[in-house]
Amino acid sequence: MKRSLEEHAARFDEVAAEYDDSMSDEYRACANLVVEHAAPAPDDTESTESTRARTRSARADVVLDLGTGTGAIALALAPDAGRVVGRDISEGMLTEAERKADEAGFSNLEFGEGTFREPNYDGPVDIVTSNFAMHHLSDAEKRAAISVIADLEPRKFVLGDVMFFGEPDPDEPFYSPDVDDPATVGVLADAFTDAGFSLTAVERVHDQVGVLVAEQRPTSAE
């Protein structure tokens, strides 16, 4: 990480009120894909269960949204989830997320302080999501974070982020080199695999932006 957690938190505190309006088209496209993969339509789910049973199952899911920011992903998933837990390092961003949740009238949302490696949550987790947050970590820190997330035993982790599908264009970086540290898709894929996930989807939004969907391999007991 190129800056401390405190420095990152302070930086996001300053922009929290205007954050939603400042997002690029790529960010919004990435967020939409994260929501789509984290909450598939019941009719598109391959299962022998009835649609009604699968819908009940989806609405019992616990979603952990890491780097939740102002709650864009958490709020979008709340109507179809049993519970959504958002974690972030910025008090200002969390305040905005809580305000929007109150306005929407959701009672199944919980926001609080937490990081990728210390999410401050010890309950059950079915789905983990994150959008445009993990790229602040170094490659080694990303690997450690993915390992911590794997230990929570979610069945799926949907990551939308700045990532390199090829060599980044030094004249047109999609990120801020002084604060961001994106990884290549290959590095992220290896980290997921080593943590026990199988990569089931790769969505390319931009040469430097994408969405990865990773699922836990079933254990013999399952």
Side-chain angles (χ1 to χ4, degrees):
M1 182 178 289
K2 294 185 176 180
R3 295 190 182 183
S4 69
L5 286 176
E6 292 76 15
E7 289 172 325
H8 277 296
R11 186 166 65 92
F12 284 109
D13 285 345
E14 292 177 0
V15 301
E18 299 82 26
Y19 186 78
D20 290 345
D21 295 331
S22 68
M23 292 299 95
S24 66
D25 290 341
E26 289 83 359
Y27 173 94
R28 298 181 191 282
C30 202
N32 288 339
L33 284 169
V34 170
V35 171
E36 178 183 330
H37 282 289
D43 289 343
D44 294 335
T45 304
E46 293 183 6
S47 173
T48 57
E49 295 179 293
S50 68
T51 297
R52 179 176 296 178
R54 281 184 271 125
T55 301
R56 282 201 305 269
S57 177
R59 289 182 176 168
D61 279 346
V62 176
V63 179
L64 176 61
D65 185 39
L66 297 173
T68 193
T70 61
I73 303 300
L75 285 156
L77 294 175
D80 296 315
R83 184 184 183 198
V84 182
V85 178
R87 292 290 185 259
D88 205 277
I89 61 172
S90 165
E91 184 177 342
M93 299 289 262
L94 290 169
T95 296
E96 285 296 307
E98 289 169 346
R99 178 186 62 79
K100 292 195 293 183
D102 288 342
E103 290 179 353
F106 290 124
S107 60
N108 62 337
L109 278 171
E110 174 202 329
F111 293 106
E113 189 276 334
T115 69
F116 284 103
R117 288 166 292 172
E118 296 183 5
N120 292 331
Y121 176 75
D122 60 3
V125 178
D126 299 294
I127 299 169
V128 174
T129 57
S130 183
N131 193 54
F132 270 59
M134 192 178 278
H135 65 274
H136 297 301
L137 304 180
S138 68
D139 286 358
E141 290 168 333
K142 292 182 184 74
R143 179 176 287 275
I146 290 170
S147 180
V148 167
I149 291 165
D151 288 343
L152 298 174
E153 300 185 343
R155 70 170 184 270
K156 183 184 292 186
F157 181 11
V158 186
L159 173 67
D161 210 348
V162 183
M163 60 185 70
F164 301 138
F165 284 85
E167 290 296 323
D169 185 344
D171 297 323
E172 294 187 20
F174 195 83
Y175 61 101
S176 300
D178 59 328
V179 295
D180 300 330
D181 196 4
T184 65
V185 173
V187 165
L188 291 169
D190 286 345
F192 277 120
T193 300
D194 291 345
F197 287 98
S198 295
L199 207 60
T200 57
V202 178
E203 298 271 13
R204 181 172 179 163
V205 175
H206 177 279
D207 287 348
Q208 300 176 46
V209 178
V211 174
L212 304 182
V213 182
E215 299 186 42
Q216 291 268 41
R217 291 192 287 263
T219 66
S220 57
E222 295 172 329

mmCIF file of all heavy atoms in Angstrom, residues 155-184:
data_model
loop_
_atom_site.group_PDB
_atom_site.id
_atom_site.type_symbol
_atom_site.label_atom_id
_atom_site.label_comp_id
_atom_site.label_asym_id
_atom_site.label_seq_id
_atom_site.Cartn_x
_atom_site.Cartn_y
_atom_site.Cartn_z
ATOM 1 N N ARG A 155 -19.375 -18.674 -0.819
ATOM 2 C CA ARG A 155 -19.414 -19.506 -2.017
ATOM 3 C C ARG A 155 -18.958 -18.724 -3.250
ATOM 4 O O ARG A 155 -18.559 -19.325 -4.260
ATOM 5 C CB ARG A 155 -20.818 -20.074 -2.233
ATOM 6 C CG ARG A 155 -21.885 -19.075 -2.647
ATOM 7 C CD ARG A 155 -23.171 -19.800 -3.069
ATOM 8 N NE ARG A 155 -24.169 -18.869 -3.550
ATOM 9 C CZ ARG A 155 -25.070 -18.285 -2.787
ATOM 10 N NH1 ARG A 155 -25.093 -18.535 -1.481
ATOM 11 N NH2 ARG A 155 -25.950 -17.446 -3.299
ATOM 12 N N LYS A 156 -18.982 -17.376 -3.149
ATOM 13 C CA LYS A 156 -18.629 -16.563 -4.312
ATOM 14 C C LYS A 156 -17.997 -15.252 -3.858
ATOM 15 O O LYS A 156 -18.381 -14.669 -2.843
ATOM 16 C CB LYS A 156 -19.880 -16.260 -5.142
ATOM 17 C CG LYS A 156 -19.622 -15.473 -6.423
ATOM 18 C CD LYS A 156 -20.931 -15.119 -7.134
ATOM 19 C CE LYS A 156 -21.625 -16.340 -7.688
ATOM 20 N NZ LYS A 156 -22.818 -15.963 -8.504
ATOM 21 N N PHE A 157 -17.002 -14.795 -4.629
ATOM 22 C CA PHE A 157 -16.377 -13.493 -4.428
ATOM 23 C C PHE A 157 -16.385 -12.783 -5.774
ATOM 24 O O PHE A 157 -15.828 -13.283 -6.748
ATOM 25 C CB PHE A 157 -14.946 -13.660 -3.902
ATOM 26 C CG PHE A 157 -14.206 -12.362 -3.630
ATOM 27 C CD1 PHE A 157 -14.829 -11.139 -3.634
ATOM 28 C CD2 PHE A 157 -12.846 -12.397 -3.353
ATOM 29 C CE1 PHE A 157 -14.140 -9.968 -3.376
ATOM 30 C CE2 PHE A 157 -12.135 -11.231 -3.095
ATOM 31 C CZ PHE A 157 -12.787 -10.011 -3.110
ATOM 32 N N VAL A 158 -17.045 -11.637 -5.824
ATOM 33 C CA VAL A 158 -17.127 -10.851 -7.058
ATOM 34 C C VAL A 158 -16.311 -9.580 -6.872
ATOM 35 O O VAL A 158 -16.649 -8.731 -6.043
ATOM 36 C CB VAL A 158 -18.588 -10.500 -7.413
ATOM 37 C CG1 VAL A 158 -18.632 -9.808 -8.779
ATOM 38 C CG2 VAL A 158 -19.458 -11.755 -7.422
ATOM 39 N N LEU A 159 -15.234 -9.456 -7.633
ATOM 40 C CA LEU A 159 -14.313 -8.334 -7.514
ATOM 41 C C LEU A 159 -14.343 -7.480 -8.775
ATOM 42 O O LEU A 159 -13.998 -7.936 -9.865
ATOM 43 C CB LEU A 159 -12.888 -8.846 -7.281
ATOM 44 C CG LEU A 159 -11.781 -7.786 -7.303
ATOM 45 C CD1 LEU A 159 -11.917 -6.842 -6.108
ATOM 46 C CD2 LEU A 159 -10.404 -8.452 -7.317
ATOM 47 N N GLY A 160 -14.765 -6.242 -8.628
ATOM 48 C CA GLY A 160 -14.648 -5.269 -9.704
ATOM 49 C C GLY A 160 -13.551 -4.289 -9.330
ATOM 50 O O GLY A 160 -13.532 -3.790 -8.209
ATOM 51 N N ASP A 161 -12.625 -4.016 -10.257
ATOM 52 C CA ASP A 161 -11.493 -3.193 -9.840
ATOM 53 C C ASP A 161 -10.688 -2.717 -11.036
ATOM 54 O O ASP A 161 -10.889 -3.148 -12.173
ATOM 55 C CB ASP A 161 -10.582 -3.995 -8.910
ATOM 56 C CG ASP A 161 -9.863 -3.128 -7.888
ATOM 57 O OD1 ASP A 161 -9.888 -1.890 -8.037
ATOM 58 O OD2 ASP A 161 -9.290 -3.685 -6.945
ATOM 59 N N VAL A 162 -9.755 -1.837 -10.718
ATOM 60 C CA VAL A 162 -8.718 -1.477 -11.679
ATOM 61 C C VAL A 162 -7.767 -2.662 -11.740
ATOM 62 O O VAL A 162 -7.267 -3.116 -10.711
ATOM 63 C CB VAL A 162 -7.960 -0.207 -11.228
ATOM 64 C CG1 VAL A 162 -6.935 0.191 -12.276
ATOM 65 C CG2 VAL A 162 -8.939 0.938 -10.987
ATOM 66 N N MET A 163 -7.549 -3.184 -12.944
ATOM 67 C CA MET A 163 -6.655 -4.327 -13.150
ATOM 68 C C MET A 163 -6.145 -4.277 -14.576
ATOM 69 O O MET A 163 -6.800 -3.734 -15.471
ATOM 70 C CB MET A 163 -7.375 -5.648 -12.855
ATOM 71 C CG MET A 163 -8.594 -5.904 -13.716
ATOM 72 S SD MET A 163 -9.509 -7.417 -13.250
ATOM 73 C CE MET A 163 -10.227 -6.975 -11.685
ATOM 74 N N PHE A 164 -4.983 -4.837 -14.812
ATOM 75 C CA PHE A 164 -4.366 -4.749 -16.130
ATOM 76 C C PHE A 164 -4.624 -6.008 -16.953
ATOM 77 O O PHE A 164 -4.246 -7.102 -16.554
ATOM 78 C CB PHE A 164 -2.861 -4.538 -16.002
ATOM 79 C CG PHE A 164 -2.476 -3.288 -15.249
ATOM 80 C CD1 PHE A 164 -1.443 -3.312 -14.334
ATOM 81 C CD2 PHE A 164 -3.153 -2.100 -15.461
ATOM 82 C CE1 PHE A 164 -1.076 -2.170 -13.641
ATOM 83 C CE2 PHE A 164 -2.806 -0.950 -14.775
ATOM 84 C CZ PHE A 164 -1.759 -0.984 -13.864
ATOM 85 N N PHE A 165 -5.246 -5.836 -18.109
ATOM 86 C CA PHE A 165 -5.419 -6.936 -19.048
ATOM 87 C C PHE A 165 -4.223 -7.033 -19.999
ATOM 88 O O PHE A 165 -4.061 -8.012 -20.714
ATOM 89 C CB PHE A 165 -6.706 -6.744 -19.854
ATOM 90 C CG PHE A 165 -7.939 -7.062 -19.071
ATOM 91 C CD1 PHE A 165 -8.524 -6.101 -18.260
ATOM 92 C CD2 PHE A 165 -8.515 -8.317 -19.126
ATOM 93 C CE1 PHE A 165 -9.664 -6.384 -17.526
ATOM 94 C CE2 PHE A 165 -9.657 -8.618 -18.394
ATOM 95 C CZ PHE A 165 -10.228 -7.644 -17.584
ATOM 96 N N GLY A 166 -3.405 -6.015 -20.022
ATOM 97 C CA GLY A 166 -2.185 -5.985 -20.816
ATOM 98 C C GLY A 166 -1.228 -5.011 -20.156
ATOM 99 O O GLY A 166 -1.327 -4.738 -18.968
ATOM 100 N N GLU A 167 -0.317 -4.468 -20.923
ATOM 101 C CA GLU A 167 0.592 -3.467 -20.386
ATOM 102 C C GLU A 167 -0.138 -2.133 -20.275
ATOM 103 O O GLU A 167 -0.758 -1.673 -21.239
ATOM 104 C CB GLU A 167 1.816 -3.314 -21.293
ATOM 105 C CG GLU A 167 2.747 -4.506 -21.274
ATOM 106 C CD GLU A 167 3.370 -4.724 -19.919
ATOM 107 O OE1 GLU A 167 3.681 -3.720 -19.237
ATOM 108 O OE2 GLU A 167 3.536 -5.890 -19.527
ATOM 109 N N PRO A 168 -0.097 -1.482 -19.097
ATOM 110 C CA PRO A 168 -0.773 -0.184 -18.957
ATOM 111 C C PRO A 168 -0.111 0.880 -19.822
ATOM 112 O O PRO A 168 1.109 0.875 -20.005
ATOM 113 C CB PRO A 168 -0.604 0.142 -17.467
ATOM 114 C CG PRO A 168 0.599 -0.632 -17.042
ATOM 115 C CD PRO A 168 0.587 -1.893 -17.864
ATOM 116 N N ASP A 169 -0.921 1.751 -20.379
ATOM 117 C CA ASP A 169 -0.417 2.858 -21.182
ATOM 118 C C ASP A 169 0.077 3.949 -20.242
ATOM 119 O O ASP A 169 -0.724 4.560 -19.535
ATOM 120 C CB ASP A 169 -1.532 3.397 -22.079
ATOM 121 C CG ASP A 169 -1.045 4.484 -23.041
ATOM 122 O OD1 ASP A 169 0.055 5.027 -22.811
ATOM 123 O OD2 ASP A 169 -1.762 4.784 -24.005
ATOM 124 N N PRO A 170 1.382 4.221 -20.209
ATOM 125 C CA PRO A 170 1.890 5.219 -19.261
ATOM 126 C C PRO A 170 1.372 6.617 -19.534
ATOM 127 O O PRO A 170 1.398 7.481 -18.653
ATOM 128 C CB PRO A 170 3.408 5.137 -19.454
ATOM 129 C CG PRO A 170 3.589 4.584 -20.832
ATOM 130 C CD PRO A 170 2.438 3.649 -21.047
ATOM 131 N N ASP A 171 0.894 6.857 -20.757
ATOM 132 C CA ASP A 171 0.366 8.183 -21.104
ATOM 133 C C ASP A 171 -1.108 8.322 -20.761
ATOM 134 O O ASP A 171 -1.639 9.427 -20.710
ATOM 135 C CB ASP A 171 0.569 8.473 -22.597
ATOM 136 C CG ASP A 171 2.035 8.535 -22.985
ATOM 137 O OD1 ASP A 171 2.827 9.053 -22.162
ATOM 138 O OD2 ASP A 171 2.387 8.049 -24.063
ATOM 139 N N GLU A 172 -1.788 7.204 -20.528
ATOM 140 C CA GLU A 172 -3.208 7.245 -20.216
ATOM 141 C C GLU A 172 -3.541 6.272 -19.092
ATOM 142 O O GLU A 172 -4.332 5.344 -19.259
ATOM 143 C CB GLU A 172 -4.050 6.910 -21.456
ATOM 144 C CG GLU A 172 -3.944 7.940 -22.571
ATOM 145 C CD GLU A 172 -4.926 7.661 -23.700
ATOM 146 O OE1 GLU A 172 -5.906 6.933 -23.468
ATOM 147 O OE2 GLU A 172 -4.700 8.163 -24.802
ATOM 148 N N PRO A 173 -2.950 6.458 -17.937
ATOM 149 C CA PRO A 173 -3.276 5.552 -16.826
ATOM 150 C C PRO A 173 -4.689 5.795 -16.335
ATOM 151 O O PRO A 173 -5.152 6.924 -16.261
ATOM 152 C CB PRO A 173 -2.242 5.924 -15.760
ATOM 153 C CG PRO A 173 -1.915 7.352 -16.051
ATOM 154 C CD PRO A 173 -2.007 7.505 -17.546
ATOM 155 N N PHE A 174 -5.375 4.704 -16.009
ATOM 156 C CA PHE A 174 -6.738 4.812 -15.492
ATOM 157 C C PHE A 174 -6.724 4.978 -13.982
ATOM 158 O O PHE A 174 -7.757 5.039 -13.357
ATOM 159 C CB PHE A 174 -7.535 3.558 -15.874
ATOM 160 C CG PHE A 174 -9.017 3.720 -15.717
ATOM 161 C CD1 PHE A 174 -9.764 4.313 -16.720
ATOM 162 C CD2 PHE A 174 -9.659 3.304 -14.567
ATOM 163 C CE1 PHE A 174 -11.132 4.471 -16.572
ATOM 164 C CE2 PHE A 174 -11.022 3.465 -14.412
ATOM 165 C CZ PHE A 174 -11.764 4.050 -15.419
ATOM 166 N N TYR A 175 -5.541 5.076 -13.435
ATOM 167 C CA TYR A 175 -5.384 5.106 -11.985
ATOM 168 C C TYR A 175 -4.387 6.200 -11.615
ATOM 169 O O TYR A 175 -3.741 6.786 -12.489
ATOM 170 C CB TYR A 175 -4.890 3.750 -11.480
ATOM 171 C CG TYR A 175 -3.541 3.369 -12.044
ATOM 172 C CD1 TYR A 175 -2.380 3.515 -11.291
ATOM 173 C CD2 TYR A 175 -3.421 2.885 -13.339
ATOM 174 C CE1 TYR A 175 -1.147 3.195 -11.802
ATOM 175 C CE2 TYR A 175 -2.185 2.555 -13.858
ATOM 176 C CZ TYR A 175 -1.047 2.711 -13.096
ATOM 177 O OH TYR A 175 0.181 2.394 -13.616
ATOM 178 N N SER A 176 -4.267 6.465 -10.326
ATOM 179 C CA SER A 176 -3.322 7.473 -9.843
ATOM 180 C C SER A 176 -2.091 6.754 -9.295
ATOM 181 O O SER A 176 -2.163 6.133 -8.229
ATOM 182 C CB SER A 176 -3.960 8.320 -8.733
ATOM 183 O OG SER A 176 -5.112 8.981 -9.217
ATOM 184 N N PRO A 177 -0.974 6.814 -9.999
ATOM 185 C CA PRO A 177 0.209 6.046 -9.575
ATOM 186 C C PRO A 177 0.708 6.387 -8.179
ATOM 187 O O PRO A 177 1.344 5.548 -7.533
ATOM 188 C CB PRO A 177 1.254 6.428 -10.632
ATOM 189 C CG PRO A 177 0.462 6.851 -11.831
ATOM 190 C CD PRO A 177 -0.753 7.520 -11.271
ATOM 191 N N ASP A 178 0.394 7.584 -7.686
ATOM 192 C CA ASP A 178 0.896 7.946 -6.350
ATOM 193 C C ASP A 178 0.106 7.299 -5.218
ATOM 194 O O ASP A 178 0.616 7.207 -4.093
ATOM 195 C CB ASP A 178 0.892 9.472 -6.186
ATOM 196 C CG ASP A 178 -0.489 10.076 -6.351
ATOM 197 O OD1 ASP A 178 -1.285 9.516 -7.137
ATOM 198 O OD2 ASP A 178 -0.778 11.106 -5.707
ATOM 199 N N VAL A 179 -1.114 6.833 -5.496
ATOM 200 C CA VAL A 179 -1.923 6.221 -4.426
ATOM 201 C C VAL A 179 -2.431 4.823 -4.766
ATOM 202 O O VAL A 179 -2.855 4.084 -3.875
ATOM 203 C CB VAL A 179 -3.139 7.112 -4.059
ATOM 204 C CG1 VAL A 179 -2.678 8.420 -3.458
ATOM 205 C CG2 VAL A 179 -4.032 7.348 -5.272
ATOM 206 N N ASP A 180 -2.412 4.443 -6.037
ATOM 207 C CA ASP A 180 -2.981 3.173 -6.465
ATOM 208 C C ASP A 180 -1.892 2.190 -6.886
ATOM 209 O O ASP A 180 -0.817 2.592 -7.327
ATOM 210 C CB ASP A 180 -3.942 3.383 -7.639
ATOM 211 C CG ASP A 180 -5.093 4.303 -7.295
ATOM 212 O OD1 ASP A 180 -5.485 4.333 -6.116
ATOM 213 O OD2 ASP A 180 -5.599 4.988 -8.201
ATOM 214 N N ASP A 181 -2.188 0.905 -6.784
ATOM 215 C CA ASP A 181 -1.212 -0.140 -7.105
ATOM 216 C C ASP A 181 -1.919 -1.333 -7.743
ATOM 217 O O ASP A 181 -1.959 -2.425 -7.166
ATOM 218 C CB ASP A 181 -0.480 -0.562 -5.829
ATOM 219 C CG ASP A 181 0.795 -1.328 -6.112
ATOM 220 O OD1 ASP A 181 1.154 -1.471 -7.292
ATOM 221 O OD2 ASP A 181 1.420 -1.796 -5.145
ATOM 222 N N PRO A 182 -2.511 -1.152 -8.940
ATOM 223 C CA PRO A 182 -3.282 -2.240 -9.556
ATOM 224 C C PRO A 182 -2.416 -3.443 -9.894
ATOM 225 O O PRO A 182 -1.213 -3.335 -10.120
ATOM 226 C CB PRO A 182 -3.835 -1.590 -10.839
ATOM 227 C CG PRO A 182 -3.712 -0.123 -10.627
ATOM 228 C CD PRO A 182 -2.515 0.070 -9.758
ATOM 229 N N ALA A 183 -3.061 -4.598 -9.962
ATOM 230 C CA ALA A 183 -2.391 -5.842 -10.336
ATOM 231 C C ALA A 183 -2.823 -6.243 -11.746
ATOM 232 O O ALA A 183 -3.817 -5.741 -12.283
ATOM 233 C CB ALA A 183 -2.751 -6.947 -9.349
ATOM 234 N N THR A 184 -2.081 -7.160 -12.331
ATOM 235 C CA THR A 184 -2.519 -7.752 -13.585
ATOM 236 C C THR A 184 -3.619 -8.775 -13.289
ATOM 237 O O THR A 184 -3.752 -9.272 -12.170
ATOM 238 C CB THR A 184 -1.365 -8.465 -14.305
ATOM 239 O OG1 THR A 184 -0.938 -9.582 -13.503
ATOM 240 C CG2 THR A 184 -0.195 -7.512 -14.535
#
